[in-house]
Amino acid sequence: MSAPGEAVVDLGAIAANLRTIAAMARTPLMAVVKADGFGHCAVPVARAAVAAGATWLGTTSAAEALELRDAGLTTPILSWLHPVDEDFGRLIDTRVDISVSSLPHLHAVAAAARLRGTPAFVQLKADTGLSRNGAIGSDWPELTAWARKYEKDDGVRVRGVWSHLANADAHDDTAVAAQVDAFEEAVQAARATGLDPRLLHLANSAAALHAPRTRFDLCRIGIALYGFGPGLRPAMTLGSRVVNVKRVPAGTGISYGPDHVTARPTTLALLPLGFADGLPRAAQGRAEVWLHGQRRPIAGRIAMDQCVIDAGDLPVRIGDPVTVFGDEPAPTAADWARWAGTNPHEILTGIGARVGRILGKAANP
Ligand SMILES: *Cc1c(COP(=O)(O)O)cnc(C)c1O
């Protein structure tokens, strides 16, 4: 049975991107492989990143961390968002570092470690301005003091202190500098309680590349690993094939509505991918795909399962390959993000379950 489209993931690009970022940031790197490696398949991406020099792996959930351990990856992993009743024992058994942002979480992790008779490696998260996870205000000294107490009882080892930036992607230097200051204060406060965190980290991709003060001991690299940033190569190519072709006269309505009516005779090529496969409806009227070595517009509404390419006078045939996004000169996921008013992260992680994943190298049609 064939999939309506295929996302081809070039692990060579993942490795090359990691090396390029390492040369620019000159800091150890954590490859962030949450959300199935931003839709690229977490395990092979993690292996490629580690082989290229990543010294840490980052996941959001415990299940994502355990998937990496089950696949045999022994690299240090940090997992950072857990319900308070998470099975922390499994993370302790598999030596996954647990990010802790609140006292109830710290107590739960310490209780799990006590049951196991093995200390838990934790990294305490400070909220330095994003107002999501992380401790702030008087919660921070309380969290660090309790962590120190558990460290003395040998229940936890505080390996790191970390935080996350709110506005690095917008290159907002003032906001970034304020968060760096707040982070340094949080680290000082942690040291004042007797903790000795050896691993300090704050930067995501954009900060690692553009804001040297954010780099500390480790940079957490997500979107840049997948190829978005200066000098980097998109690792994923989303491709499909034309499933129908027709020649239509001027005045022909295309797709629901119709929102688009042809201005002249043209050839329409049907693409079996729609918003259920991750092509955002909001990109209507701007989106283009790569067909016969050219950018051609998608005409009319993107439907759940299909959309229509205005192929003009190209000699298109059923079965011809189409690149929805990939590397230049084809449209990129960053182009799709701009057309839809979102970021490339959402485009990459939005690819639907019907689309096949293939490890390899895509050829542009
Ligand atoms: C997703 C995530 C990252 C990676 O961010 P990019 O901007 O994609 O590099 C880093 N740190 C945390 C906490 C994250 O959730």
Side-chain angles (χ1 to χ4, degrees):
M1 241 135 21
S2 30
E6 280 162 354
V8 182
V9 176
D10 179 359
L11 296 175
I14 297 280
N17 291 335
L18 191 103
R19 291 193 192 99
T20 303
I21 301 156
M24 290 171 78
R26 282 179 269 104
T27 306
L29 302 180
M30 171 189 285
V32 176
V33 296
K34 63 189 181 185
D36 201 19
F38 285 42
H40 295 60
C41 301
V43 167
V45 166
R47 287 202 182 107
V50 168
T55 52
W56 277 86
L57 296 167
T59 65
T60 299
S61 70
E64 290 170 335
L66 293 173
E67 185 195 358
L68 301 176
R69 284 286 182 260
D70 287 346
L73 281 146
T74 55
T75 311
I77 299 175
L78 175 65
S79 176
W80 55 67
L81 192 61
H82 311 108
V84 72
D85 58 354
E86 182 60 84
D87 181 0
F88 291 113
R90 286 215 55 205
L91 295 178
I92 295 166
D93 289 346
T94 53
R95 299 197 132 251
V96 171
D97 279 34
I98 303 165
S99 172
V100 172
S101 290
S102 85
L103 214 44
H105 285 82
L106 181 63
H107 293 323
V109 170
R114 195 177 320 118
L115 267 177
R116 287 303 203 267
T118 319
F121 284 92
V122 307
Q123 300 194 27
L124 301 177
K125 187 169 190 188
D127 177 5
T128 56
L130 184 58
S131 305
R132 294 192 326 200
N133 217 355
I136 197 166
S138 60
D139 290 346
W140 179 250
E142 198 182 12
L143 182 67
T144 51
W146 270 96
R148 179 64 188 141
K149 183 165 137 43
Y150 282 126
E151 219 175 37
K152 284 182 178 154
D153 301 346
D154 210 25
V156 306
R157 306 256 163 91
V158 178
R159 197 200 301 266
V161 167
W162 72 295
S163 187
H164 193 38
L165 294 165
N167 227 3
D169 296 44
H171 299 246
D172 182 341
D173 296 341
T174 316
V176 169
Q179 279 195 264
V180 172
D181 293 344
F183 184 61
E184 285 175 338
E185 270 174 44
V187 171
Q188 285 314 321
R191 291 208 169 113
T193 65
L195 292 174
D196 183 23
R198 294 298 171 91
L199 193 69
L200 308 179
H201 52 110
L202 179 61
N204 68 338
S205 295
L209 296 176
H210 302 288
R213 268 191 79 207
T214 64
R215 289 175 188 151
F216 295 92
D217 303 320
L218 185 69
C219 296
R220 302 185 306 272
I221 305 301
I223 197 69
L225 181 64
Y226 304 100
F228 297 86
L232 305 170
R233 251 163 60 203
M236 182 192 286
T237 304
L238 177 61
S240 180
R241 286 174 181 279
V242 171
V243 288
N244 203 350
V245 175
K246 61 192 62 174
R247 187 75 186 170
V248 297
T252 305
I254 301 178
S255 190
Y256 294 122
D259 293 355
H260 182 96
V261 175
T262 56
R264 59 185 68 81
T266 192
T267 299
L268 303 180
L270 184 64
L271 190 64
L273 292 174
F275 60 78
D277 306 297
L279 274 57
R281 239 172 145 255
Q284 179 194 332
R286 292 175 290 274
E288 297 171 339
V289 296
W290 189 251
L291 172 65
H292 283 229
Q294 297 184 14
R295 285 186 178 222
R296 296 299 312 173
I298 290 177
R301 285 186 208 169
I302 294 171
M304 187 183 293
D305 315 299
Q306 40 197 300
C307 59
V308 177
I309 305 165
D310 185 341
D313 295 325
L314 290 175
V316 186
R317 291 161 163 258
I318 289 176
D320 284 354
V322 175
T323 298
V324 176
F325 61 75
D327 202 354
E328 301 265 327
T332 65
D335 290 327
W336 275 88
R338 198 163 26 79
W339 296 328
T342 182
N343 59 9
H345 309 58
E346 189 178 356
I347 300 295
L348 296 172
T349 57
I351 298 189
R354 289 193 295 213
V355 175
R357 263 56 166 196
I358 294 182
L359 302 177
K361 231 177 155 63
N364 267 344

